[in-house]
Amino acid sequence: MAKQEDSKLDTHSAVYYHWRVWELTGLMRPPGVSSLRYVVYSITVNLVVTVLFPLSLLARLLFTTNMAALCENLTITITDIVANLKFANVYMVRKQLLEIRSLLRLMDARARLVGDPGEISALRKEVNIAQGNFRTFASIFVFGTILSCVRVVVRPDRELLYPAWFGVDWMHSTRNYVLINIYQLFGLIVQAIQNCASDSYPPAFLCLLTGHMRALELRVRRIGCRTEKSYKGQSYEAWREEVYQELIECIRDLARVHRLREIIQRVLSVACMAQFVCSAAVQCTVAMHFLYMADDHDHTAMIISIVFFSAVTLEVFVICYFGDRMRTQSEALCDAFYDCNWVEQLPKFKRELLFTLARTQRPSLIYAGNYIALSLETFEQARHNYIFKCPLI
């Protein structure tokens, strides 16, 4: 039964929902779909939503003359434009995403070959965390979409789902008003799906990296830790030679982990940097709006400001938290090489171990823009700079 469950191990399923979203929104062609039809579908969807939706928000921003409305619209526009840039970045790194999928298949095959229940459990745990993160983000976006619709319905006067400019009179034309709201609802749903995948795939890939590091840590700690019964029938020298081969296999596994980290770095660098920039810009805009511009009796504007402030801060916290988990796990992996039973081993075992330890001294980190480390220390510093040192406060 355990072997049957091991054969079903597929850590790439951590991004299963993300892959379906990317197929649905025109980034990844599903199997069995003709190339021409998918290209037409992709161009249509992304022109109608990914391009026109933020342009309508930006046009409304340019025609805004009231300072309070400008701050409110700017918050929404910045968030939407950055979200679309992150979505476009997925298209730019699609080759790396396919490379990650191929590499994960090799690493999964190795884990199935080893067949250790602890390793399989660690990998499945990270897959479940990644999928759970997607469902959590999806719930938040569903709630936000419903809240936007309810806000329009309960308002006594006509209002759009989002402040936007379309060049037609919708205040005095029911037909225009209905058509624009239908378009905005469609665009809002598509954008929510895109943003859900864009915001949750960095934690998902960090979970994958953490899980394979944890599996390798458990594998390394077992090297040479055998009782006399384990090598019964073998000579002591033959057993030590076998342990040496185990170390070589683990070093190859470590090379795959490092390769996975390098690819994930390239995939997440721009997306995470965009999130940091978006968070800083929105936090400062919201602070200015909330403290200086918002009408004390405009509770809706205050709630929207608080929601956006909390959302962008939470998004940065999530990627920093999972980046910190990965760093902690990389340190545990380094410690595992120290903890293996190296004392009894062959001189060539110890030589290879020394070379490996020299390469693993620095903990693995993912950097936003190849500059800002994804760690809780970074989040604390960003929170302190953006909030407590904001020149507006």
Side-chain angles (χ1 to χ4, degrees):
M1 183 66 179
K3 289 291 184 181
Q4 184 178 1
E5 290 183 358
D6 293 351
S7 65
K8 297 179 181 178
L9 177 66
D10 179 15
T11 53
H12 190 261
S13 61
V15 290
Y16 170 81
Y17 298 125
H18 307 81
W19 213 266
R20 298 289 81 80
V21 168
W22 294 332
E23 289 176 348
L24 183 64
T25 53
L27 294 186
M28 301 287 187
R29 182 165 63 92
V33 178
S34 71
S35 178
L36 179 60
R37 289 178 59 187
Y38 192 71
V39 167
V40 172
Y41 167 79
S42 175
I43 292 175
T44 303
V45 170
N46 287 285
L47 274 179
V48 171
V49 178
T50 310
V51 175
L52 292 182
F53 196 85
L55 283 179
S56 66
L57 299 178
L58 185 60
R60 179 69 179 88
L61 180 67
L62 296 176
F63 284 105
T64 301
T65 55
N66 179 273
M67 195 61 181
L70 178 65
C71 291
E72 183 179 348
N73 296 347
L74 184 60
T75 299
I76 298 171
T77 304
I78 290 174
T79 306
D80 188 72
I81 290 176
V82 171
N84 280 284
L85 290 175
K86 290 191 293 183
F87 178 73
N89 180 66
V90 175
Y91 178 79
M92 301 299 294
V93 299
R94 64 193 185 283
K95 291 183 179 179
Q96 284 78 20
L97 294 175
L98 293 171
E99 188 177 352
I100 288 174
R101 184 171 64 177
S102 300
L103 185 56
L104 288 175
R105 286 173 179 169
L106 291 176
M107 299 171 79
D108 291 346
R110 169 71 170 143
R112 289 194 296 268
L113 180 64
V114 173
D116 179 68
E119 293 183 26
I120 302 297
S121 176
L123 291 170
R124 287 206 171 117
K125 175 185 175 183
E126 296 301 323
V127 169
N128 292 335
I129 291 174
Q131 292 181 345
N133 282 337
F134 181 91
R135 289 190 288 267
T136 300
F137 274 96
S139 301
I140 294 172
F141 279 106
V142 167
F143 174 76
T145 303
I146 294 174
L147 189 63
S148 297
C149 295
V150 170
R151 179 169 174 258
V152 170
V153 171
V154 299
R155 293 275 296 191
D157 52 341
R158 287 186 175 180
E159 186 174 337
L160 299 179
L161 286 171
Y162 276 98
W165 181 84
F166 292 95
V168 295
D169 182 13
W170 52 267
M171 286 293 295
H172 304 95
S173 172
T174 303
R175 176 175 170 273
N176 290 340
Y177 178 69
V178 172
L179 289 176
I180 288 175
N181 272 292
I182 290 174
Y183 167 75
Q184 281 203 320
L185 180 59
F186 171 73
L188 186 60
I189 292 173
V190 174
Q191 292 266 276
I193 295 173
Q194 291 175 343
N195 296 347
C196 181
S198 297
D199 290 342
S200 60
Y201 84 80
F205 281 123
L206 290 171
C207 283
L208 284 172
L209 188 53
T210 301
H212 281 285
M213 283 183 174
R214 173 60 177 164
L216 182 56
E217 177 204 347
L218 296 173
R219 199 174 304 158
V220 170
R221 289 186 187 277
R222 294 195 304 270
I223 295 177
C225 297
R226 299 184 179 184
T227 63
E228 189 173 337
K229 294 180 180 179
S230 301
Y231 54 87
K232 189 175 182 180
Q234 284 182 313
S235 67
Y236 184 61
E237 289 302 317
W239 171 73
R240 294 207 296 174
E241 182 64 31
E242 182 181 311
V243 173
Y244 171 72
Q245 294 302 322
E246 288 182 11
L247 175 65
I248 296 302
E249 288 299 324
C250 285
I251 292 174
R252 292 193 181 107
D253 295 334
L254 181 62
R256 293 189 187 101
V257 167
H258 286 167
R259 177 59 181 164
L260 181 62
R261 193 207 70 82
E262 290 172 4
I263 302 172
I264 290 177
Q265 168 65 57
R266 293 204 302 270
V267 169
L268 300 188
S269 177
V270 173
C272 292
M273 190 63 186
Q275 188 57 60
F276 275 98
V277 172
C278 175
S279 178
V282 169
Q283 284 179 339
C284 289
T285 304
V286 167
M288 183 171 63
H289 181 216
F290 187 72
L291 294 177
Y292 292 98
M293 310 285 174
D295 186 350
D296 292 339
H297 302 291
D298 190 354
H299 300 295
T300 302
M302 291 183 180
I303 292 173
I304 291 175
S305 296
I306 294 172
V307 168
F308 271 93
F309 189 94
S310 303
V312 295
T313 305
L314 179 62
E315 288 175 349
V316 170
F317 171 76
V318 168
I319 57 177
C320 286
Y321 170 75
F322 282 100
D324 200 77
R325 284 180 77 240
M326 188 274 295
R327 180 190 66 174
T328 302
Q329 182 56 59
S330 74
E331 293 171 349
L333 176 57
C334 179
D335 293 341
F337 283 98
Y338 286 100
D339 291 343
C340 70
N341 183 17
W342 56 270
V343 178
E344 303 178 61
Q345 306 310 320
L346 295 168
K348 61 181 179 180
F349 178 102
K350 297 174 183 178
R351 184 172 58 251
E352 294 293 340
L353 183 62
L354 285 174
F355 289 145
T356 303
L357 288 172
R359 292 196 298 266
T360 58
Q361 290 303 304
R362 294 179 60 187
S364 296
L365 281 168
I366 299 295
Y367 293 88
N370 297 315
Y371 177 71
I372 303 175
L374 300 185
S375 65
L376 290 177
E377 289 89 346
T378 298
F379 174 76
E380 176 61 25
Q381 182 179 2
R383 184 181 66 87
H384 188 269
N385 289 339
Y386 295 160
I387 299 176
F388 297 106
K389 289 186 177 180
C390 180
L392 299 173
I393 299 179

